[in-house]
């Protein structure tokens, strides 16, 4: 599938400049803190050094004549010595704090860049996925749109277009529009699968299965396919509408990829806190080369294209998988080409 190289490059360029800006902000915070601490440290230490000068009188020169009760002068040499030592101490402190801040700047720059990259990585991945999704969707939309345009252009150029020809063109247009509608619904469904927006509660599995079967029975009857419901009376934790949709997708596929007059069976198994629901068909099966890809968006097995009348877009199983992951459950498949497939849903028991 053709990928959109340009938007990905632009996204990366945008992100790298965002990384730089975020790293700058982190570095600014680190440096403000480091300089702030240094100033406080300097002031406190400089004051402390100032207190090292002995009080007046202690630096007086010891004099044998000092016995007339008048105040004595400080010893200027000793005073000078103390002041010089204090000035040296303050200069040394200033240099140490300067080196410390230069070090903080260098280490901070590396740490800031690392933190900025780490913060932006999930956003980068989400954006890549978004770009890929839009690119895949546009690619899928282009094919039916091109077909519609071509059919209408040919009809328009035909000066002797009869009423029945025109009706054929309109019928084809309606078919294509219906397919586009299905694609748009599928894409919307994928985009809507937001775990946080669904409510989860205890739901009877038989109700979900029953409601899904009601939607599929007409298609199954058209192919004289029997659907056996052997689901046990168990409740699971989930969102009813979403789980029903998973079953409709799986049953729809089971009917579409099965030969007429075959059987589809739904069975349950309980293991610990989990309920396993198997949807077993006797259809065309899935080739080993297709199996790793069938849950990917827009993936369609070649065999299914030729053997089934279904004109899907390869979105059903990816929607089903997304719903199951939102339920902290799973969807797995076991298939033998020519014999049939078994899709298994793993759900949490409400019991
Ligand atoms: P679609 O059916 O629209 O192609 P899906 O995502 O539902 O898209 O299925 C993806 C592919 O998985 C199908 O194209 C088909 O090759 C394969 N598949 C799904 N279910 C079955 C099944 N029950 N039997 C055989 N093949 C199946």
């Amino acid at each position: 599938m053709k990928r959109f190289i340009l938007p990905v490059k632009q996204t990366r360029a945008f992100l790298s400049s965002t990384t730089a800006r975020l790293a700058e902000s982190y570095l600014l915070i680190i440096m403000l803190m480091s300089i702030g601490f240094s100033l406080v440290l300097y002031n406190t230490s400089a004051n402390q050094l100032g207190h090292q000068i002995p009080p007046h009188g202690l630096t007086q020169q010891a004099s044998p004549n000092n016995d007339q009760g008048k105040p004595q002068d400080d010893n200027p040499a000793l005073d000078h010595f103390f002041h010089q030592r204090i000035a040296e101490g303050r200069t040394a402190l200033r240099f140490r704090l300067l080196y410390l801040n230069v070090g903080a700047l260098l280490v901070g720059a590396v740490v800031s860049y690392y933190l900025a990259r780490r913060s932006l990585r999930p956003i980068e991945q989400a954006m890549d996925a978004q770009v890929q999704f839009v690119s895949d969707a546009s690619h899928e939309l282009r094919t039916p749109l091109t077909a519609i345009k071509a059919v209408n252009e040919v009809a328009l150029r035909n000066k002797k277009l009869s009423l029945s020809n025109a009706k054929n063109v309109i019928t084809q247009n309606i078919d294509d529009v219906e397919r586009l509608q299905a694609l748009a619904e599928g894409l919307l469904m994928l985009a809507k699968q937001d775990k946080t927006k669904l409510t989860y509660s205890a739901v009877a599995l038989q109700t979900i299965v029953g409601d899904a079967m009601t939607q599929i029975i007409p298609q199954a009857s058209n192919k004289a396919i029997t659907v056996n419901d052997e689901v046990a009376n168990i409740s699971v934790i989930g969102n009813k509408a979403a789980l029903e949709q998973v079953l409709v997708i799986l049953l729809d596929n089971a009917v579409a990829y099965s030969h007429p007059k075959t059987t589809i069976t739904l069975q349950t198994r309980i293991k610990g806190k989990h309920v396993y629901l198997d949807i077993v068909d006797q259809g065309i099966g899935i080739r080993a080369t297709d199996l790793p890809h069938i849950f990917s968006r827009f993936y369609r097995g070649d065999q299914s294209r030729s053997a089934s009348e279904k004109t899907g877009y390869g979105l059903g199983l990816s929607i089903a998988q997304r719903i199951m992951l939102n339920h902290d459950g799973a969807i797995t498949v076991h298939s033998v080409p020519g014999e049939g497939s078994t899709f298994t849903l793993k759900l949490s028991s409400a019991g």
Side-chain angles (χ1 to χ4, degrees), residues 26 36 52 55 64 88 93 170 197 224 226 248 263 267 281 304 307 324:
Y26 286 156
Q52 300 304 310
E88 278 170 15
L93 184 63
I170 293 169
K197 289 191 184 139
T226 311
V248 169
T263 301
Q267 296 163 331
D281 69 47
S304 341
M324 291 311 295

Side-chain angles (χ1 to χ4, degrees), residues 249 253-254 257 281 284-286 294 299-301 304 310 312-318 341 343:
I249 290 169
N253 278 347
Y257 302 119
D281 69 47
I284 58 174
I286 305 166
I294 57 170
Y299 187 86
R300 298 205 72 209
S304 341
K310 189 178 176 197
Y313 279 97
L315 284 177
L317 288 182
S318 53
S341 310
F343 281 84

